[in-house]
Short mmCIF file of all heavy atoms in Angstrom, two decimals:
data_model
loop_
_atom_site.label_atom_id
_atom_site.label_comp_id
_atom_site.label_asym_id
_atom_site.label_seq_id
_atom_site.Cartn_x
_atom_site.Cartn_y
_atom_site.Cartn_z
N PRO A 189 -9.42 15.21 11.03
CA PRO A 189 -9.97 16.25 10.11
C PRO A 189 -11.19 16.84 10.70
O PRO A 189 -11.94 16.23 11.50
CB PRO A 189 -10.28 15.40 8.85
CG PRO A 189 -10.60 14.07 9.39
CD PRO A 189 -9.60 13.83 10.53
N SER A 190 -11.44 18.06 10.32
CA SER A 190 -12.76 18.72 10.68
C SER A 190 -13.61 18.76 9.38
O SER A 190 -13.07 18.70 8.21
CB SER A 190 -12.49 20.21 11.12
OG SER A 190 -11.98 20.16 12.40
N GLY A 191 -14.86 18.88 9.59
CA GLY A 191 -15.73 19.07 8.43
C GLY A 191 -17.19 19.10 8.84
O GLY A 191 -17.49 19.20 10.08
N GLN A 192 -18.07 19.11 7.87
CA GLN A 192 -19.48 19.07 8.14
C GLN A 192 -19.99 17.68 8.36
O GLN A 192 -19.60 16.71 7.75
CB GLN A 192 -20.28 19.66 6.91
CG GLN A 192 -20.28 21.09 6.73
CD GLN A 192 -21.32 21.54 5.73
OE1 GLN A 192 -22.40 20.91 5.63
NE2 GLN A 192 -21.11 22.63 5.07
N ARG A 193 -20.87 17.60 9.31
CA ARG A 193 -21.60 16.32 9.50
C ARG A 193 -23.09 16.65 9.89
O ARG A 193 -23.34 17.70 10.38
CB ARG A 193 -20.94 15.48 10.60
CG ARG A 193 -20.92 16.11 12.01
CD ARG A 193 -20.22 15.16 13.00
NE ARG A 193 -20.44 15.67 14.33
CZ ARG A 193 -19.52 16.54 15.03
NH1 ARG A 193 -18.48 16.95 14.31
NH2 ARG A 193 -19.72 16.86 16.28
N LEU A 202 -23.61 20.32 11.43
CA LEU A 202 -22.61 20.89 12.40
C LEU A 202 -21.21 20.87 11.78
O LEU A 202 -20.99 20.21 10.82
CB LEU A 202 -22.61 19.94 13.64
CG LEU A 202 -23.87 19.43 14.35
CD1 LEU A 202 -23.56 18.42 15.39
CD2 LEU A 202 -24.53 20.66 14.92
N PHE A 203 -20.40 21.74 12.28
CA PHE A 203 -19.00 21.75 11.87
C PHE A 203 -18.07 21.49 13.05
O PHE A 203 -18.24 22.02 14.11
CB PHE A 203 -18.54 23.09 11.20
CG PHE A 203 -17.19 23.13 10.73
CD1 PHE A 203 -16.89 22.74 9.45
CD2 PHE A 203 -16.13 23.51 11.59
CE1 PHE A 203 -15.51 22.70 8.98
CE2 PHE A 203 -14.81 23.51 11.11
CZ PHE A 203 -14.53 23.09 9.82
N GLY A 204 -17.08 20.57 12.82
CA GLY A 204 -16.07 20.39 13.90
C GLY A 204 -15.28 19.16 13.58
O GLY A 204 -15.40 18.54 12.56
N PRO A 205 -14.34 18.78 14.53
CA PRO A 205 -13.56 17.63 14.32
C PRO A 205 -14.44 16.33 14.10
O PRO A 205 -15.34 16.17 14.87
CB PRO A 205 -12.75 17.52 15.61
CG PRO A 205 -12.73 18.91 16.15
CD PRO A 205 -14.05 19.51 15.80
N SER A 206 -13.95 15.49 13.21
CA SER A 206 -14.69 14.24 12.96
C SER A 206 -14.78 13.45 14.30
O SER A 206 -13.83 13.36 15.01
CB SER A 206 -13.99 13.40 11.98
OG SER A 206 -14.52 12.10 11.91
N ILE A 252 -18.23 12.76 8.17
CA ILE A 252 -18.08 13.68 7.00
C ILE A 252 -18.60 13.04 5.73
O ILE A 252 -19.36 13.55 4.92
CB ILE A 252 -16.65 14.18 6.89
CG1 ILE A 252 -16.22 15.01 8.16
CG2 ILE A 252 -16.51 15.09 5.60
CD1 ILE A 252 -14.73 15.28 8.22
N TRP A 255 -22.46 12.55 5.13
CA TRP A 255 -23.30 13.68 4.83
C TRP A 255 -22.94 14.27 3.45
O TRP A 255 -23.81 14.85 2.75
CB TRP A 255 -22.98 14.78 5.92
CG TRP A 255 -23.51 16.19 5.71
CD1 TRP A 255 -22.82 17.31 5.80
CD2 TRP A 255 -24.84 16.58 5.38
NE1 TRP A 255 -23.62 18.41 5.55
CE2 TRP A 255 -24.87 17.95 5.36
CE3 TRP A 255 -26.11 15.88 5.21
CZ2 TRP A 255 -26.01 18.72 5.06
CZ3 TRP A 255 -27.19 16.59 4.95
CH2 TRP A 255 -27.19 18.03 4.90
N LEU A 264 -14.17 15.00 1.00
CA LEU A 264 -13.36 15.49 2.15
C LEU A 264 -13.27 14.46 3.23
O LEU A 264 -12.40 14.53 4.07
CB LEU A 264 -13.92 16.75 2.63
CG LEU A 264 -13.93 17.96 1.60
CD1 LEU A 264 -14.50 19.16 2.22
CD2 LEU A 264 -12.54 18.24 1.10
#
Side-chain angles (χ1 to χ4, degrees):
S190 287
Q192 283 197 28
R193 64 178 188 270
L202 312 171
F203 181 88
S206 170
I252 298 171
W255 171 232
L264 300 177

